Amino acid sequence: MDLTPNDEQIALQTATADWCSDHMPLVGARSRSAGLWQQLDTMGWTGMTAPEMGLDHATETLLFAELGRFLAPVALLSTAVAARWTGAAGKAALALPAQEHVRILDGVEASRALGAFGDGLACFPLAGQLSSTSSLDQSTPLARIVCPAEIEPVDDPRALLHLQLLTAAYAVGCADAARDMAADYAKLRQQFDRPIGWFQALKHLCSDMAVRAAVARSQLYYAACALDADDIDAAFHIAAAKRLADQAALDNGRANIQVHGGIGMTDEAHPHLCLKRAHLLQFIVPAETAALLAA
């Protein structure tokens, strides 16, 4: 199992990061362009996991981590999984079932929704235009609908693992973004005629963020390769990747706000974007304790 990205994977990763930096900067996550999804579709990001594209899971995680670093729309997760396991094209919103209703995330212009129902993945059509409001993650519109009478299950159990893996990749990207934002600010902001990153308390804080992100990314790569290799423990490794990625995204998001001090405490500050996305991602196919103890 080779965990080192090859030249082609690195080229794809770099191209993804460059495109996101130019067209989808993180600081604009609160008010993204209405045509962003069309741009993503034109560039092929929405259909890159379709079987005919031939991408393995290891390559997908590299690209989704970069997309997650820029807080890309969460519907890319459900759309990617739907493209691979149902063959359906077009935007699929992400569904989070509750007891009496279903939360629909990023459902604008989506014709169907996909999410984890019980032990498996399922999808269902969306009737008409949804009435969406802002969610905790201000880049993600939220709607609530009554539980659909009929949902169509995705028979292959690997589909649920796929969604969990890509969500973990998003969380790793989110942890990276918070780390970079904190480090940049620590080098820029000065106190007592020195950058605040010179002081040991903040230096260690940033170092811990870097370690958390690196550990989560390493487990993410291993989990993706395990799924590609049909490893019998792939479900365990993906659950571990999701748990580590969620924790890294949350802890780095909080630490980023701490590094920014008083500025970070204001809701208008950019550090909140990473923390709120991290809170949202932890609710998408969370790692169950039973899966982590199964190995």
Side-chain angles (χ1 to χ4, degrees):
M1 186 179 294
D2 186 0
L3 301 181
T4 306
N6 58 37
D7 291 343
E8 185 177 354
Q9 289 173 322
I10 292 174
L12 281 170
Q13 186 181 29
T14 303
T16 303
D18 289 344
W19 189 90
C20 290
S21 178
D22 292 339
H23 298 85
M24 195 173 55
L26 185 150
V27 295
R30 286 189 177 90
S31 56
R32 290 271 164 75
S33 164
L36 176 61
W37 188 265
Q38 183 59 43
Q39 288 181 301
L40 292 166
D41 191 43
T42 302
M43 289 299 297
W45 304 127
T46 60
M48 63 180 168
T49 57
E52 60 269 22
M53 296 300 293
L55 284 185
D56 56 19
H57 294 298
T59 305
E60 288 177 11
T61 54
L62 289 172
L63 305 187
F64 272 80
E66 292 306 317
L67 291 164
R69 186 196 295 264
F70 292 89
L71 308 188
V74 296
L76 270 181
L77 298 169
S78 43
T79 300
V81 175
R84 179 180 286 266
W85 301 101
T86 71
K91 185 176 183 180
L94 186 65
L96 293 181
Q99 285 189 339
E100 298 179 352
H101 60 271
V102 178
R103 294 181 179 89
I104 304 296
L105 301 176
D106 199 4
V108 177
E109 299 181 2
S111 58
R112 63 193 184 285
L114 177 142
F117 288 79
D119 296 331
L121 209 63
C123 58
F124 54 87
L126 293 173
Q129 194 65 27
L130 298 173
S131 177
S132 298
T133 60
S134 298
S135 68
L136 172 66
D137 176 358
Q138 293 166 312
S139 67
T140 304
L142 166 69
R144 290 181 176 83
I145 63 172
V146 297
C147 293
E150 294 184 4
I151 59 174
E152 183 178 348
V154 181
D155 291 334
D156 199 317
R158 292 176 297 176
L160 186 60
L161 296 178
H162 190 203
L163 179 59
Q164 193 174 37
L165 181 71
L166 296 185
T167 309
Y170 255 36
V172 167
C174 191
D176 286 343
R179 175 205 59 203
D180 294 344
M181 194 183 296
D184 289 345
Y185 186 73
K187 289 184 285 188
L188 177 67
R189 173 83 164 92
Q190 292 206 351
Q191 190 62 272
F192 304 114
D193 296 327
R194 297 177 185 275
I196 60 173
W198 184 87
F199 299 102
Q200 197 171 57
L202 289 182
K203 191 183 298 182
H204 288 186
L205 202 61
C206 292
S207 297
D208 288 343
M209 296 171 74
V211 171
R212 279 193 291 268
V215 169
R217 183 175 285 271
S218 296
Q219 179 60 32
L220 176 71
Y221 288 172
Y222 194 91
C225 291
L227 188 59
D228 283 327
D230 287 329
D231 190 307
I232 57 173
D233 292 327
F236 162 74
H237 291 302
I238 292 172
K242 184 65 165 61
R243 179 65 64 88
L244 286 172
D246 282 345
Q247 198 61 54
L250 284 171
D251 289 347
N252 282 10
R254 292 171 179 138
N256 185 24
I257 288 176
Q258 190 174 354
V259 169
H260 279 76
I263 295 176
M265 293 299 293
T266 60
D267 186 61
E268 294 79 8
H270 298 321
H272 279 267
L273 298 173
C274 297
L275 182 60
K276 290 171 179 173
R277 171 59 66 91
H279 277 293
L280 177 66
L281 292 177
Q282 70 174 331
F283 293 110
I284 304 173
V285 201
E288 301 291 343
T289 301
L292 292 168
L293 295 175

